[in-house]
Amino acid sequence: DFDIFPEVGWGGDGGSRQYSTAGWLAAFPVFEPHYQVLISRGTTMGSLIFRAKNGEQDCYDLNDATIYLEKNWGGSFPSKWWWMQANTFQSDLCVTSTAGCRGIPFL
């Protein structure tokens, strides 16, 4: 059980308007998979309990943990995918980068 507290979204701080990563191009299926950063940086409060198949469990403290959250959707995911994210700078800087190898439809 934990809570998420957004600090920086995609396009500004938690109170700013959030933008689609691809802008208006995200409306076209040719640009699948769709990808959107929901929280560039935030913190959490609470804990996570992991139960192994053998019945043992571990509890992980998530209080003040740094978090990044994104979503990906669509039917055409690339065969190779690369993703990088950094958000623990001493300033408000958050860096996110992705790349993938895929064919371009109709070409």
Side-chain angles (χ1 to χ4, degrees):
D1 185 31
F2 66 94
D3 293 314
I4 297 173
F5 302 97
E7 295 174 10
V8 180
W10 184 257
D13 61 26
S16 297
R17 180 175 181 255
Q18 300 299 296
Y19 297 93
S20 172
T21 308
W24 60 271
L25 293 173
F28 297 100
V30 70
F31 294 108
E32 287 188 355
H34 301 294
Y35 154 78
Q36 184 168 2
V37 175
L38 301 173
I39 300 173
S40 291
R41 186 183 62 243
T43 56
T44 63
M45 180 72 72
S47 60
L48 175 70
I49 297 174
F50 175 76
R51 291 186 181 91
K53 288 183 180 180
N54 65 6
E56 293 182 20
Q57 69 180 34
D58 291 312
C59 183
Y60 297 95
D61 178 22
L62 299 176
N63 290 327
D64 295 322
T66 302
I67 189 170
Y68 167 90
L69 184 64
E70 72 174 55
K71 65 179 179 178
N72 299 298
W73 71 98
S76 179
F77 283 85
S79 59
K80 296 179 182 177
W81 181 267
W82 176 85
W83 168 74
M84 183 274 303
Q85 164 277 310
N87 58 9
T88 55
F89 300 101
Q90 291 187 352
S91 68
D92 286 340
L93 178 65
C94 299
V95 178
T96 304
S97 177
T98 61
C101 294
R102 59 168 286 198
I104 299 175
F106 312 113
L107 293 180

